[in-house]
Amino acid sequence: MPLLVLDSGGVSRLAERSREAVELGLAFRQDGLWPPRLPSVVLTECLQGHSGRDANANRFLKVCEIDEAVPESLARRAALLRRLARRGSAVDALVVASAEPGGTVLTSDPDDLEALAAHADDVSIERV
């Protein structure tokens, strides 16, 4: 089954209150990539801890599947991806590992994610 995993840039982009964000969400639905998923650690990067500033993101996150636990096997896989890529944050590596196998990661900053995905099992990176 196809899978769409979001990093913080993907959350921010899809949480925008714009026609483009709505159209992008509709396109992902049509492609069977809805609802999007994300590891809960992504919240640390996309939220500010302020209800007013986080309102759009919090509204959007209600439609997402948020993986609250990071299993040891996923953490170890992310660590391996970071070592092989020689770049990327721990959160980036967890996002890419969460998309394995065959998933797509939506991001606004693809460089580190593409380096990690080069060592992952069939993960594609899509820039927004």
Side-chain angles (χ1 to χ4, degrees):
M1 177 176 185
L3 179 65
L4 177 65
V5 180
L6 306 178
D7 75 347
S8 61
V11 170
S12 297
R13 179 68 170 104
L14 290 174
E16 290 176 1
R17 297 179 66 81
S18 69
R19 183 169 57 179
E20 293 82 15
V22 170
E23 290 172 355
L24 191 56
L26 290 173
F28 287 128
R29 283 181 185 90
Q30 288 176 340
D31 291 342
L33 295 172
W34 204 261
R37 296 180 68 163
L38 59 139
S40 62
V41 295
V42 171
L43 301 178
T44 306
E45 292 184 337
C46 69
L47 298 175
Q48 299 178 37
H50 184 279
S51 60
R53 292 183 192 137
D54 293 338
N56 287 345
N58 284 327
R59 192 176 302 103
F60 170 71
L61 289 167
K62 289 178 184 176
V63 304
C64 296
E65 293 180 8
I66 301 174
D67 297 327
E68 294 184 8
V70 176
E72 180 181 349
S73 60
L74 184 64
R76 289 180 178 278
R77 178 64 179 156
L80 175 62
L81 293 175
R82 281 185 78 201
R83 181 178 62 80
L84 294 172
R86 296 183 181 177
R87 63 187 298 178
S89 69
V91 173
D92 288 345
L94 283 168
V95 167
V96 171
S98 295
E100 288 183 312
T104 299
V105 175
L106 188 65
T107 183
S108 60
D109 186 19
D111 295 338
D112 287 342
L113 293 167
E114 287 173 346
L116 291 158
H119 302 283
D121 182 12
D122 190 28
V123 173
S124 61
I125 308 299
E126 186 169 325
R127 183 183 198 140
V128 290

